[in-house]
Amino acid sequence: MEQTNKLKNSKEVIQYLATQFPNCFSTEGEAKPLKIGIFQDLAERLKEDEKVSNTVLRSALRQYTSSWRYLHGVKVGSKRVDLDGVEGAEIEQEHVEHAQKTLKESKDKAFANKKAQAEKADKNKAAARKPKADFKRTSKPKTSDSKPAAEQKPIEKIDSKDLVAGKEVRVLVGKTPMPGQISEVTKDGIAVTLKSGMLVKVKAEHIVA
């Protein structure tokens, strides 16, 4: 027994109607206005056709008659056709106006949706182009150990007789000798004014050339 494949959606039904009734239905170009009450004619003609149910047929007709190409065909001077393409009554002005109104509303809605989608796409593109935060690692500041080459001369002990006020010397502060000038020599220690302006008092062994 041959198995019948039922048509499941409006698009398939419309394509099927265009093959069964080519003088009435079409899938391309401007559609012809349909005879009023054509659903009953279709239901009668297709009552033995197991491919098409009345429910899907009604839905397909609704989609067909609300399409832009069909609404374009509903105009002054056009005549409705039956399933065999035979022309009948001329389109009434009231129906023409209704078709034009429906067409305008449908197009306005479609254009509004298209515009909204385009704006959304533009926002997404702008967000994608936005520069990311710069996480480049900054260079570490130079520590006190990074001294000019002139100050990196070898550490040499200074003769005690040279420890006099006004003498340019270096003071061992931590591991790094700091340049300065002897301000005063006393029994308690030697006062040195560093280049930074700070006055320190140190023992003689902490002073180098």
Side-chain angles (χ1 to χ4, degrees):
M1 181 177 178
E2 186 179 352
Q3 186 177 0
T4 303
N5 296 321
K6 272 190 173 294
L7 302 176
K8 298 178 181 179
N9 57 59
S10 297
K11 184 178 180 180
E12 290 180 353
V13 172
I14 292 171
Q15 290 175 339
Y16 183 65
L17 293 178
T19 60
Q20 297 298 309
F21 310 102
N23 294 322
C24 179
F25 293 95
S26 64
T27 56
E28 295 179 354
E30 190 174 275
K32 298 176 182 178
L34 302 178
K35 168 192 171 184
I36 294 175
I38 203 166
F39 172 76
Q40 287 76 15
D41 294 347
L42 278 169
E44 178 63 26
R45 291 275 193 102
L46 300 174
K47 63 182 179 180
E48 302 296 334
D49 194 328
E50 296 181 0
K51 286 187 176 182
V52 184
S53 68
N54 284 351
T55 301
V56 180
L57 179 61
R58 196 183 297 275
S59 176
L61 274 178
R62 237 188 339 261
Q63 180 176 314
Y64 187 80
T65 55
S66 62
S67 66
W68 290 3
R69 64 190 194 87
Y70 181 85
L71 294 172
H72 272 296
V74 181
K75 54 192 175 184
V76 177
S78 297
K79 294 183 178 181
R80 297 183 180 276
V81 298
D82 63 11
L83 293 177
D84 299 316
V86 177
E87 293 184 344
E90 190 171 306
I91 299 288
E92 297 178 9
Q93 181 63 32
E94 179 184 354
H95 294 166
V96 173
E97 293 174 357
H98 177 73
Q100 290 176 345
K101 180 183 177 183
T102 303
L103 180 61
K104 183 179 183 303
E105 291 174 349
S106 180
K107 284 188 174 182
D108 289 345
K109 183 178 180 180
F111 292 152
N113 289 339
K114 186 175 181 180
K115 182 179 179 181
Q117 290 175 357
E119 290 175 350
K120 184 178 179 180
D122 289 341
K123 287 181 180 179
N124 291 339
K125 288 181 181 178
R129 288 196 299 265
K130 187 177 180 181
K132 295 182 179 179
D134 189 1
F135 293 109
K136 289 183 179 178
R137 182 178 296 176
T138 56
S139 58
K140 293 183 179 180
K142 291 183 178 179
T143 63
S144 58
D145 291 336
S146 302
K147 296 297 177 182
E151 295 181 19
Q152 296 297 339
K153 61 183 180 180
I155 297 175
E156 296 178 2
K157 293 290 183 178
I158 191 169
D159 197 313
S160 59
K161 67 180 181 180
D162 292 328
L163 296 177
V164 295
K167 176 71 175 179
E168 297 286 341
V169 294
R170 291 190 297 163
V171 181
L172 290 174
V173 180
K175 295 181 180 179
T176 307
M178 303 292 290
Q181 186 181 63
I182 296 176
S183 301
E184 185 181 8
V185 179
T186 66
K187 292 181 180 181
D188 298 330
I190 302 172
V192 180
T193 303
L194 301 179
K195 292 292 184 181
S196 62
M198 183 173 66
L199 180 65
V200 296
K201 196 168 187 179
V202 296
K203 294 182 178 181
E205 57 263 31
H206 292 147
I207 297 179
V208 296

